[in-house]
Amino acid sequence: LSYSLGLGRLETSKKLSGSPDVRGSDLLVATTHHPHRHMASAKSHSAPGAGAHGGLVSVLGSNLEAIAIFRMTFGALLLVELVSRYQYLLPFYSDAGTLPLHLLRPKIDTLYSAVCVHCYGGSMLYLRVLLTVQVGLAMMFIVGYKTRLASIGSWFLYLSLSLRNTWLNFILDRYFHHLLFYSMFLPLDGTWAVDSRRRSSSSKATLVTPATIALKLLVVWIYWDAG
């Protein structure tokens, strides 16, 4: 249609002004719009910035499915670690063990005593109840039920357990502290969780938050710290 209109205009202009003939191919090039050329030009200008931004988001962010995998695998590791502690309650955490409370309390201050709830009592019953609560919180963490509460409770009780006998602490405990702390601020129940059934959300969208950035940087720090 553009070509036909162009030829019609050419014949009219020739009759009125007597101008020399112009080839139809030249007129077609002049009068035809090239949307693909403009689109390619726009892509060439916007592609570098968009690609850099997308790469940065991928490096620093995470989608809900990846966060859910982290929640389940980390929760399983935490559960195994806590269950294994039952056998060490008597020799290392109770008053009948190597560090009874009457030896520990003179060496700690008031804040230490307040934060470490495992210092409130040294009986096996009390210690088993605390550890069973931790196991329950770890199971809530894995299935994605009340994950914020599970994260806060797990972090606090794991810290308290570590303070009860610091001679038993090693590098894994430090990583557990960091991961549980960052978990408080992650959307752990976004998908593949009990609580995710109550709302609809896109599991494919990449989220970038201070918690996801800290979690990614922690992976680098773990490799550096482990030597």
Side-chain angles (χ1 to χ4, degrees):
L1 178 60
S2 176
Y3 180 79
S4 301
L5 292 174
L7 290 179
R9 292 176 186 152
L10 177 62
E11 293 297 330
T12 303
S13 63
K14 285 171 61 180
K15 291 179 182 179
L16 294 176
S17 61
S19 59
D21 192 11
V22 179
R23 290 185 300 172
S25 60
D26 296 336
L27 185 61
L28 179 61
V29 172
T31 58
T32 303
H33 183 59
H34 298 277
H36 298 291
R37 182 180 300 173
H38 291 288
M39 291 174 63
S41 177
K43 289 181 179 179
S44 65
H45 288 291
S46 60
H53 179 266
L56 189 63
V57 169
S58 300
V59 170
L60 300 179
S62 181
N63 59 36
L64 294 179
E65 291 180 351
I67 294 175
I69 293 174
F70 160 77
R71 185 197 75 234
M72 291 183 286
T73 53
F74 175 57
L77 290 174
L78 178 63
L79 181 61
V80 171
E81 172 64 21
L82 292 174
V83 170
S84 68
R85 295 288 180 113
Y86 277 102
Q87 59 185 321
Y88 302 121
L89 289 180
L90 179 62
F92 298 119
Y93 297 99
S94 71
D95 285 339
T98 57
L99 186 62
L101 288 176
H102 72 269
L103 294 179
L104 177 64
R105 282 171 177 160
K107 300 178 181 180
I108 59 178
D109 57 19
T110 305
L111 179 60
Y112 194 110
S113 301
V115 171
C116 182
V117 295
H118 288 76
C119 291
Y120 293 177
S123 67
M124 285 296 296
L125 176 61
Y126 179 72
L127 295 174
R128 283 172 180 162
V129 169
L130 286 180
L131 191 55
T132 302
V133 171
Q134 286 185 264
V135 169
L137 291 172
M139 295 178 67
M140 291 170 56
F141 190 94
I142 294 172
V143 301
Y145 178 71
K146 303 294 183 182
T147 53
R148 185 64 57 82
L149 174 63
S151 300
I152 297 174
S154 295
W155 173 78
F156 177 75
L157 288 177
Y158 201 93
L159 175 64
S160 174
L161 183 65
S162 301
L163 292 175
R164 176 60 181 84
N165 193 339
T166 57
W167 290 101
L168 301 178
N169 297 338
F170 65 113
I171 192 169
L172 181 62
D173 295 307
R174 185 161 69 246
Y175 298 155
F176 272 141
H177 293 153
H178 288 290
L179 291 172
L180 285 171
F181 181 80
Y182 296 147
S183 296
M184 301 180 198
F185 309 100
L186 290 171
L188 298 175
D189 56 354
T191 188
W192 299 346
V194 174
D195 288 342
S196 66
R197 299 177 182 177
R198 304 175 185 176
R199 59 183 182 278
S200 59
S201 58
S202 175
S203 61
K204 301 296 183 181
T206 302
L207 306 175
V208 180
T209 66
T212 61
I213 296 173
L215 189 63
K216 294 295 185 71
L217 293 177
L218 180 63
V219 175
V220 179
W221 179 76
I222 287 176
Y223 278 96
W224 179 82
D225 183 55

